[in-house]
Protein backbone atom coordinates (compact mmCIF):
# COMPACT_ATOMS: atom_id res chain seq x y z
CA UNK A 1 0.00 0.00 0.00
CA UNK A 2 1.43 3.35 -1.03
CA UNK A 3 0.81 6.24 1.24
CA UNK A 4 -0.57 9.55 0.05
CA UNK A 5 1.39 12.24 1.71
CA UNK A 6 3.39 15.32 1.15
CA UNK A 7 6.45 15.11 3.28
CA UNK A 8 8.73 17.94 4.08
CA UNK A 9 12.04 16.87 5.38
CA UNK A 10 14.52 19.45 6.44
CA UNK A 11 17.81 17.70 6.16
CA UNK A 12 21.41 18.64 6.34
CA UNK A 13 22.94 19.39 3.02
CA UNK A 14 26.04 17.31 2.63
CA UNK A 15 28.85 17.88 0.20
CA UNK A 16 28.79 15.64 -2.81
CA UNK A 17 31.17 12.78 -2.20
CA UNK A 18 33.23 11.34 -4.94
CA UNK A 19 33.56 7.60 -4.79
CA UNK A 20 36.37 5.35 -5.86
CA UNK A 21 34.08 4.04 -8.56
CA UNK A 22 34.21 5.94 -11.84
CA UNK A 23 32.19 9.12 -11.94
CA UNK A 24 29.39 7.94 -9.67
CA UNK A 25 28.54 10.33 -6.90
CA UNK A 26 26.47 10.09 -3.77
CA UNK A 27 23.52 12.41 -4.21
CA UNK A 28 23.06 15.10 -1.61
CA UNK A 29 20.48 14.67 1.08
CA UNK A 30 17.52 16.62 -0.23
CA UNK A 31 15.86 19.68 1.32
CA UNK A 32 12.38 18.55 0.42
CA UNK A 33 10.76 15.31 -0.62
CA UNK A 34 7.39 15.18 -2.28
CA UNK A 35 5.89 11.73 -2.11
CA UNK A 36 3.83 10.68 -5.05
CA UNK A 37 1.36 7.87 -4.62
CA UNK A 38 2.89 5.76 -7.36
CA UNK A 39 6.28 5.54 -5.73
CA UNK A 40 7.40 3.30 -2.90
CA UNK A 41 8.90 5.50 -0.22
CA UNK A 42 12.03 4.12 1.40
CA UNK A 43 13.92 5.73 4.26
CA UNK A 44 17.55 4.60 4.14
CA UNK A 45 19.75 5.22 7.16
CA UNK A 46 23.30 4.79 5.92
CA UNK A 47 25.85 4.70 8.72
CA UNK A 48 28.43 7.04 7.26
CA UNK A 49 30.97 7.66 4.52
CA UNK A 50 34.06 6.23 6.18
CA UNK A 51 35.42 4.18 3.28
CA UNK A 52 35.33 3.52 -0.46
CA UNK A 53 33.27 0.44 0.27
CA UNK A 54 30.67 2.61 1.99
CA UNK A 55 30.54 5.23 -0.76
CA UNK A 56 30.17 2.57 -3.44
CA UNK A 57 27.40 1.01 -1.38
CA UNK A 58 25.57 4.36 -1.06
CA UNK A 59 25.72 4.90 -4.82
CA UNK A 60 24.47 1.35 -5.44
CA UNK A 61 21.50 1.95 -3.13
CA UNK A 62 20.66 5.30 -4.70
CA UNK A 63 20.93 3.93 -8.24
CA UNK A 64 18.69 0.94 -7.51
CA UNK A 65 16.09 2.79 -5.43
CA UNK A 66 15.69 5.57 -7.98
CA UNK A 67 12.55 7.36 -9.14
CA UNK A 68 12.89 5.68 -12.53
CA UNK A 69 12.70 2.34 -10.73
CA UNK A 70 9.60 3.42 -8.82
CA UNK A 71 11.10 4.54 -5.52
CA UNK A 72 11.17 7.71 -3.52
CA UNK A 73 14.38 7.31 -1.52
CA UNK A 74 15.03 9.40 1.57
CA UNK A 75 18.76 8.97 2.23
CA UNK A 76 20.27 9.93 5.57
CA UNK A 77 23.97 9.75 6.37
CA UNK A 78 24.48 8.89 10.06
CA UNK A 79 28.04 10.27 10.17
CA UNK A 80 29.21 7.09 11.97
CA UNK A 81 26.99 7.87 14.98
CA UNK A 82 24.29 5.50 16.10
CA UNK A 83 22.38 8.36 17.76
CA UNK A 84 22.03 10.02 14.33
CA UNK A 85 20.78 6.77 12.86
CA UNK A 86 18.17 6.35 15.60
CA UNK A 87 17.00 9.91 14.94
CA UNK A 88 16.78 9.13 11.22
CA UNK A 89 14.72 5.99 11.81
CA UNK A 90 12.35 7.94 14.08
CA UNK A 91 12.00 10.57 11.38
CA UNK A 92 11.18 7.87 8.82
CA UNK A 93 8.50 6.53 11.16
CA UNK A 94 7.00 10.02 11.52
CA UNK A 95 7.04 10.40 7.78
CA UNK A 96 5.17 7.09 7.46
CA UNK A 97 7.56 5.71 4.85
CA UNK A 98 6.70 2.36 3.26
CA UNK A 99 10.02 0.69 4.17
CA UNK A 100 12.98 1.44 6.36
CA UNK A 101 16.39 0.24 5.22
CA UNK A 102 19.04 0.35 7.91
CA UNK A 103 22.81 -0.11 7.58
CA UNK A 104 23.61 -0.06 11.30
CA UNK A 105 26.99 1.24 12.52
CA UNK A 106 27.16 -1.19 15.42
CA UNK A 107 25.06 -4.14 16.57
CA UNK A 108 23.84 -3.15 20.03
CA UNK A 109 21.09 -0.78 21.09
CA UNK A 110 18.44 -1.14 18.39
CA UNK A 111 15.61 -2.85 20.29
CA UNK A 112 13.54 0.24 21.14
CA UNK A 113 13.62 2.06 17.84
CA UNK A 114 12.97 -1.11 15.84
CA UNK A 115 10.01 -1.87 18.12
CA UNK A 116 8.71 1.62 17.28
CA UNK A 117 8.99 0.80 13.57
CA UNK A 118 7.15 -2.46 14.09
CA UNK A 119 4.39 -0.70 16.05
CA UNK A 120 4.02 1.63 13.07
CA UNK A 121 3.82 -1.42 10.75
CA UNK A 122 6.85 -0.37 8.74
CA UNK A 123 9.02 -3.28 7.60
CA UNK A 124 12.74 -2.89 8.28
CA UNK A 125 15.38 -4.35 5.97
CA UNK A 126 18.93 -4.54 7.27
CA UNK A 127 21.79 -4.14 4.86
CA UNK A 128 25.51 -4.88 5.36
CA UNK A 129 25.95 -5.05 9.15
CA UNK A 130 23.49 -6.57 11.58
CA UNK A 131 21.71 -5.70 14.80
CA UNK A 132 21.85 -7.72 18.01
CA UNK A 133 18.24 -7.67 19.20
CA UNK A 134 16.44 -10.13 21.46
CA UNK A 135 13.57 -10.50 18.96
CA UNK A 136 14.64 -11.20 15.38
CA UNK A 137 11.06 -10.42 14.34
CA UNK A 138 11.98 -6.75 14.74
CA UNK A 139 13.33 -6.81 11.18
CA UNK A 140 12.13 -8.50 8.02
CA UNK A 141 15.43 -9.63 6.60
CA UNK A 142 19.11 -8.86 6.14
CA UNK A 143 21.47 -8.86 3.17
CA UNK A 144 25.24 -8.68 3.45
CA UNK A 145 28.52 -10.54 3.74
CA UNK A 146 29.74 -13.40 5.88
CA UNK A 147 32.52 -11.46 7.56
CA UNK A 148 33.94 -14.38 9.48
CA UNK A 149 34.14 -16.39 6.27
CA UNK A 150 36.06 -13.52 4.67
CA UNK A 151 38.47 -13.70 7.59
CA UNK A 152 38.81 -17.48 7.34
CA UNK A 153 39.79 -17.05 3.69
CA UNK A 154 42.52 -14.52 4.51
CA UNK A 155 43.86 -16.53 7.43
CA UNK A 156 43.65 -19.71 5.32
CA UNK A 157 45.71 -17.92 2.69
CA UNK A 158 48.24 -16.87 5.36
CA UNK A 159 48.50 -20.44 6.60
CA UNK A 160 49.07 -21.68 3.02
CA UNK A 161 51.69 -18.98 2.50
CA UNK A 162 53.65 -19.81 5.67
CA UNK A 163 53.48 -23.55 4.94
CA UNK A 164 54.89 -23.08 1.45
CA UNK A 165 57.60 -20.68 2.64
CA UNK A 166 58.49 -22.89 5.64
CA UNK A 167 57.84 -20.09 8.10
CA UNK A 168 57.14 -21.51 11.52
CA UNK A 169 53.97 -20.27 13.21
CA UNK A 170 55.68 -18.63 16.17
CA UNK A 171 57.62 -16.46 13.74
CA UNK A 172 54.46 -14.70 12.58
CA UNK A 173 54.13 -11.51 14.62
CA UNK A 174 50.76 -10.06 13.74
CA UNK A 175 48.95 -6.85 14.57
CA UNK A 176 45.27 -6.36 13.79
CA UNK A 177 44.03 -2.91 12.79
CA UNK A 178 40.37 -3.39 13.51
CA UNK A 179 37.29 -1.71 12.13
CA UNK A 180 34.68 0.14 14.17
CA UNK A 181 34.37 -1.77 17.42
CA UNK A 182 31.00 -3.47 17.79
CA UNK A 183 30.21 -3.50 14.07
CA UNK A 184 29.42 -6.85 12.49
CA UNK A 185 32.31 -6.52 10.04
CA UNK A 186 34.75 -5.92 12.89
CA UNK A 187 33.35 -8.69 15.08
CA UNK A 188 33.56 -11.34 12.32
CA UNK A 189 36.96 -10.32 11.00
CA UNK A 190 38.48 -10.02 14.48
CA UNK A 191 37.05 -13.36 15.58
CA UNK A 192 38.36 -15.09 12.47
CA UNK A 193 41.90 -13.89 13.09
CA UNK A 194 41.86 -14.58 16.84
CA UNK A 195 40.67 -18.16 16.20
CA UNK A 196 43.24 -18.76 13.46
CA UNK A 197 46.05 -17.37 15.63
CA UNK A 198 45.07 -19.68 18.47
CA UNK A 199 44.68 -22.72 16.22
CA UNK A 200 47.92 -22.15 14.31
CA UNK A 201 50.09 -20.85 17.16
CA UNK A 202 50.66 -17.42 15.56
CA UNK A 203 51.82 -14.53 17.73
CA UNK A 204 48.88 -12.06 17.64
CA UNK A 205 50.48 -9.14 19.45
CA UNK A 206 47.92 -6.35 19.33
CA UNK A 207 44.38 -5.46 18.25
CA UNK A 208 43.68 -1.74 17.86
CA UNK A 209 40.76 -0.04 16.12
CA UNK A 210 41.34 2.22 13.14
CA UNK A 211 37.60 2.80 12.68
CA UNK A 212 37.72 1.72 9.00
CA UNK A 213 39.31 5.02 7.91
CA UNK A 214 42.58 5.68 6.10
CA UNK A 215 43.68 8.39 8.55
CA UNK A 216 43.14 6.28 11.63
CA UNK A 217 44.83 3.34 9.91
CA UNK A 218 47.90 5.51 9.37
CA UNK A 219 47.83 6.83 12.94
CA UNK A 220 47.38 3.42 14.57
CA UNK A 221 50.09 1.82 12.43
CA UNK A 222 52.60 4.56 13.28
CA UNK A 223 51.94 3.95 16.99
CA UNK A 224 52.18 0.17 16.62
CA UNK A 225 55.56 0.47 14.89
CA UNK A 226 56.82 2.46 17.86
CA UNK A 227 55.46 -0.09 20.32
CA UNK A 228 56.64 -3.31 18.61
CA UNK A 229 59.85 -3.79 16.68
CA UNK A 230 59.05 -7.29 15.38
CA UNK A 231 55.76 -6.80 13.50
CA UNK A 232 55.84 -8.77 10.26
CA UNK A 233 52.14 -9.10 9.38
CA UNK A 234 49.52 -6.34 9.48
CA UNK A 235 45.95 -7.58 9.21
CA UNK A 236 43.79 -4.61 8.25
CA UNK A 237 40.04 -5.02 8.55
CA UNK A 238 39.54 -2.88 5.44
CA UNK A 239 41.51 -1.51 2.50
CA UNK A 240 41.31 2.15 3.46
CA UNK A 241 43.08 1.39 6.74
CA UNK A 242 45.58 -0.74 4.80
CA UNK A 243 46.41 2.22 2.57
CA UNK A 244 46.97 4.39 5.66
CA UNK A 245 49.03 1.64 7.32
CA UNK A 246 51.23 1.17 4.24
CA UNK A 247 51.94 4.89 4.23
CA UNK A 248 52.93 4.74 7.91
CA UNK A 249 55.16 1.68 7.35
CA UNK A 250 56.97 3.30 4.43
CA UNK A 251 57.28 6.61 6.27
CA UNK A 252 59.03 4.68 9.06
CA UNK A 253 61.56 3.50 6.48
CA UNK A 254 60.29 -0.08 6.30
CA UNK A 255 59.44 -2.11 3.21
CA UNK A 256 55.96 -3.49 2.61
CA UNK A 257 55.74 -6.91 0.95
CA UNK A 258 55.60 -10.68 1.36
CA UNK A 259 59.30 -11.34 2.10
CA UNK A 260 58.84 -11.32 5.82
CA UNK A 261 61.94 -13.42 6.45
CA UNK A 262 63.97 -10.63 4.85
CA UNK A 263 62.51 -7.75 6.84
CA UNK A 264 59.34 -6.97 4.87
CA UNK A 265 56.09 -6.22 6.63
CA UNK A 266 53.20 -8.07 5.00
CA UNK A 267 49.80 -6.40 4.72
CA UNK A 268 46.56 -8.32 4.20
CA UNK A 269 43.16 -6.72 3.94
CA UNK A 270 39.44 -6.72 3.05
CA UNK A 271 37.10 -5.11 0.48
CA UNK A 272 38.78 -5.01 -2.96
CA UNK A 273 36.68 -1.99 -3.92
CA UNK A 274 39.16 0.86 -3.91
CA UNK A 275 41.32 1.06 -7.04
CA UNK A 276 44.50 1.92 -5.19
CA UNK A 277 44.21 -1.13 -2.96
CA UNK A 278 43.72 -3.38 -5.99
CA UNK A 279 46.76 -1.73 -7.56
CA UNK A 280 48.71 -2.40 -4.33
CA UNK A 281 47.53 -5.99 -4.47
CA UNK A 282 48.85 -6.29 -8.04
CA UNK A 283 52.20 -4.87 -6.90
CA UNK A 284 52.37 -7.21 -3.89
CA UNK A 285 52.20 -4.37 -1.38
CA UNK A 286 48.98 -5.92 -0.18
CA UNK A 287 49.57 -9.66 -0.22
CA UNK A 288 45.97 -10.83 -0.03
CA UNK A 289 42.52 -9.20 -0.11
CA UNK A 290 39.23 -10.88 0.73
CA UNK A 291 36.62 -9.23 -1.44
CA UNK A 292 33.67 -7.62 0.32
CA UNK A 293 30.88 -6.84 -2.12
CA UNK A 294 29.15 -3.47 -1.60
CA UNK A 295 26.64 -3.63 -4.46
CA UNK A 296 23.58 -4.25 -2.34
CA UNK A 297 21.22 -1.77 -4.06
CA UNK A 298 19.69 -4.28 -6.51
CA UNK A 299 19.50 -6.90 -3.73
CA UNK A 300 17.59 -4.57 -1.42
CA UNK A 301 15.33 -3.59 -4.33
CA UNK A 302 14.54 -7.27 -4.94
CA UNK A 303 13.79 -7.81 -1.24
CA UNK A 304 11.38 -4.85 -1.21
CA UNK A 305 9.69 -6.12 -4.36
CA UNK A 306 9.27 -9.53 -2.80
CA UNK A 307 7.70 -7.97 0.33
CA UNK A 308 5.45 -5.85 -1.92
CA UNK A 309 4.24 -9.08 -3.55
CA UNK A 310 3.30 -10.43 -0.14
CA UNK A 311 6.14 -12.96 -0.11
CA UNK A 312 8.41 -13.75 2.83
CA UNK A 313 12.02 -13.45 1.70
CA UNK A 314 14.83 -15.46 3.29
CA UNK A 315 15.76 -13.94 6.63
CA UNK A 316 19.52 -13.90 6.00
CA UNK A 317 20.82 -13.31 2.48
CA UNK A 318 24.55 -13.78 1.93
CA UNK A 319 26.53 -12.60 -1.07
CA UNK A 320 29.28 -14.57 -2.82
CA UNK A 321 32.75 -13.09 -2.61
CA UNK A 322 36.20 -13.74 -4.02
CA UNK A 323 39.77 -13.85 -2.74
CA UNK A 324 42.62 -11.96 -4.38
CA UNK A 325 46.39 -12.27 -4.39
CA UNK A 326 48.93 -11.67 -7.14
CA UNK A 327 51.74 -13.61 -5.45
CA UNK A 328 50.85 -16.92 -7.07
CA UNK A 329 52.11 -18.84 -4.03
CA UNK A 330 48.75 -20.09 -2.81
CA UNK A 331 46.36 -21.24 -5.55
CA UNK A 332 43.31 -22.02 -3.46
CA UNK A 333 42.15 -21.92 0.12
CA UNK A 334 39.83 -24.39 1.76
CA UNK A 335 37.36 -23.16 4.37
CA UNK A 336 34.81 -25.43 6.05
CA UNK A 337 35.05 -27.97 3.23
CA UNK A 338 34.67 -25.40 0.42
CA UNK A 339 37.56 -24.53 -1.86
CA UNK A 340 38.06 -20.91 -2.92
CA UNK A 341 40.31 -20.14 -5.88
CA UNK A 342 42.81 -17.36 -5.26
CA UNK A 343 42.30 -14.91 -8.14
CA UNK A 344 44.48 -12.23 -9.67
CA UNK A 345 43.26 -8.80 -8.53
O1 LIG B 1 34.48 -3.59 4.84
C1 LIG B 1 34.50 -1.27 5.36
C2 LIG B 1 33.39 -0.37 5.72
O2 LIG B 1 30.57 -3.07 6.94
C3 LIG B 1 31.35 -4.39 5.13
O3 LIG B 1 32.52 -1.18 6.48
C4 LIG B 1 31.33 -3.06 5.79
C5 LIG B 1 32.70 -2.50 6.10
C6 LIG B 1 33.69 -2.47 4.97
O4 LIG B 1 33.75 0.78 6.28
O5 LIG B 1 35.31 -0.75 4.36
Amino acid sequence: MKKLAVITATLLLLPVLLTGCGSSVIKEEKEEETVNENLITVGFSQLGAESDWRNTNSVSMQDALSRENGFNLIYKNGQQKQANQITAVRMFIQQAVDYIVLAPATEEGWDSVLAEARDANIPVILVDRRVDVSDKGLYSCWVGSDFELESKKVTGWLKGFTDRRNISPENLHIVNIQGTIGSTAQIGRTRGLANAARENGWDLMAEVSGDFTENKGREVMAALLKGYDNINVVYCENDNMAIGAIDAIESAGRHVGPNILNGDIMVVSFDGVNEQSLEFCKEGKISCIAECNPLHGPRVKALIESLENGETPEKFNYVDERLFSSLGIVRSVEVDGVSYTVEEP
Side-chain angles (χ1 to χ4, degrees):
M1 270 251 292
K2 317 289 171 300
K3 299 187 177 70
L4 264 173
V6 175
I7 293 171
T8 304
T10 309
L11 303 169
L12 281 175
L13 273 177
L14 285 181
V16 174
L17 291 162
L18 286 175
T19 74
C21 176
S23 62
S24 310
V25 291
I26 299 173
K27 294 180 197 77
E28 291 174 5
E29 291 182 358
K30 301 220 184 74
E31 278 284 0
E32 200 159 292
E33 290 289 342
T34 303
V35 179
N36 153 336
E37 76 237 62
N38 297 317
L39 298 173
I40 299 172
T41 297
V42 177
F44 172 39
S45 170
Q46 175 61 290
L47 67 93
E50 73 286 359
S51 66
D52 289 281
W53 189 100
R54 185 68 47 202
N55 295 341
T56 305
N57 174 250
S58 294
V59 172
S60 169
M61 297 289 288
Q62 292 181 339
D63 285 352
L65 303 179
S66 64
R67 277 187 180 259
E68 303 75 71
N69 288 343
F71 295 90
N72 173 51
L73 178 66
I74 308 171
Y75 163 82
K76 286 291 285 171
N77 177 341
Q79 316 278 346
Q80 296 253 63
K81 291 199 178 67
Q82 186 185 35
N84 293 341
Q85 292 200 276
I86 290 176
T87 303
V89 172
R90 293 214 164 107
M91 190 188 80
F92 299 150
I93 296 170
Q94 267 179 6
Q95 290 174 318
V97 299
D98 297 309
Y99 294 89
I100 291 172
V101 178
L102 172 65
T106 47
E107 293 194 349
E108 308 279 324
W110 293 101
D111 296 80
S112 310
V113 77
L114 293 187
E116 290 165 33
R118 186 170 62 184
D119 291 346
N121 282 321
I122 303 174
V124 173
I125 296 172
L126 301 178
V127 62
D128 171 27
R129 303 176 187 171
R130 297 198 194 189
V131 295
D132 183 4
V133 285
S134 43
D135 176 2
K136 289 200 170 34
L138 288 174
Y139 56 91
S140 299
C141 52
W142 164 89
V143 61
S145 309
D146 184 335
F147 302 111
E148 194 168 345
L149 172 61
E150 292 173 350
S151 171
K152 286 178 177 176
K153 291 185 205 163
V154 169
T155 54
W157 181 90
L158 196 52
K159 168 91 172 72
F161 174 86
T162 52
D163 285 350
R164 282 171 189 74
R165 287 278 164 96
N166 286 318
I167 299 169
S168 54
E170 64 278 12
N171 286 336
L172 275 196
H173 304 292
I174 308 172
V175 293
N176 180 7
I177 304 186
Q178 301 168 288
T180 302
I181 300 298
S183 68
T184 315
Q186 176 272 317
I187 293 169
R189 292 171 186 166
T190 296
R191 187 190 295 133
L193 175 63
N195 287 343
R198 200 186 47 250
E199 285 156 17
N200 293 306
W202 299 337
D203 176 23
L204 175 56
M205 301 191 294
E207 298 174 308
V208 192
S209 176
D211 229 359
F212 286 126
T213 70
E214 180 176 330
N215 282 341
K216 288 229 180 110
R218 183 181 294 107
E219 210 176 285
V220 164
M221 188 68 228
L224 285 166
L225 286 166
K226 290 197 181 107
Y228 301 86
D229 58 8
N230 58 345
I231 299 171
N232 55 16
V233 176
V234 184
Y235 175 99
C236 295
E237 291 185 2
N238 84 347
D239 283 341
N240 289 84
M241 296 191 297
I243 291 167
I246 288 170
D247 192 24
I249 295 167
E250 291 178 339
S251 300
R254 298 289 303 276
H255 191 258
V256 179
N259 298 315
I260 58 177
L261 294 180
N262 297 325
D264 277 5
I265 296 182
M266 171 187 282
V267 173
V268 296
S269 175
F270 297 84
D271 283 353
V273 173
N274 167 298
E275 281 181 27
Q276 183 170 20
S277 65
L278 289 168
E279 196 47 49
F280 280 171
C281 194
K282 283 184 193 143
E283 294 168 13
K285 274 196 187 188
I286 299 182
S287 290
C288 178
I289 297 179
E291 182 193 30
C292 183
N293 189 320
L295 304 177
H296 296 321
R299 301 178 182 120
V300 170
K301 175 171 173 278
L303 290 169
I304 292 175
E305 284 163 353
S306 147
L307 289 166
E308 281 286 290
N309 291 336
E311 296 157 11
T312 308
E314 287 287 317
K315 189 88 183 178
F316 298 104
N317 300 276
Y318 291 94
V319 299
D320 289 333
E321 297 173 326
R322 294 171 294 170
L323 184 63
F324 301 118
S325 174
S326 64
L327 303 180
I329 302 165
V330 181
R331 300 277 173 201
S332 68
V333 168
E334 193 168 308
V335 179
D336 301 331
V338 180
S339 175
Y340 298 89
T341 307
V342 179
E343 299 178 44
E344 288 288 327

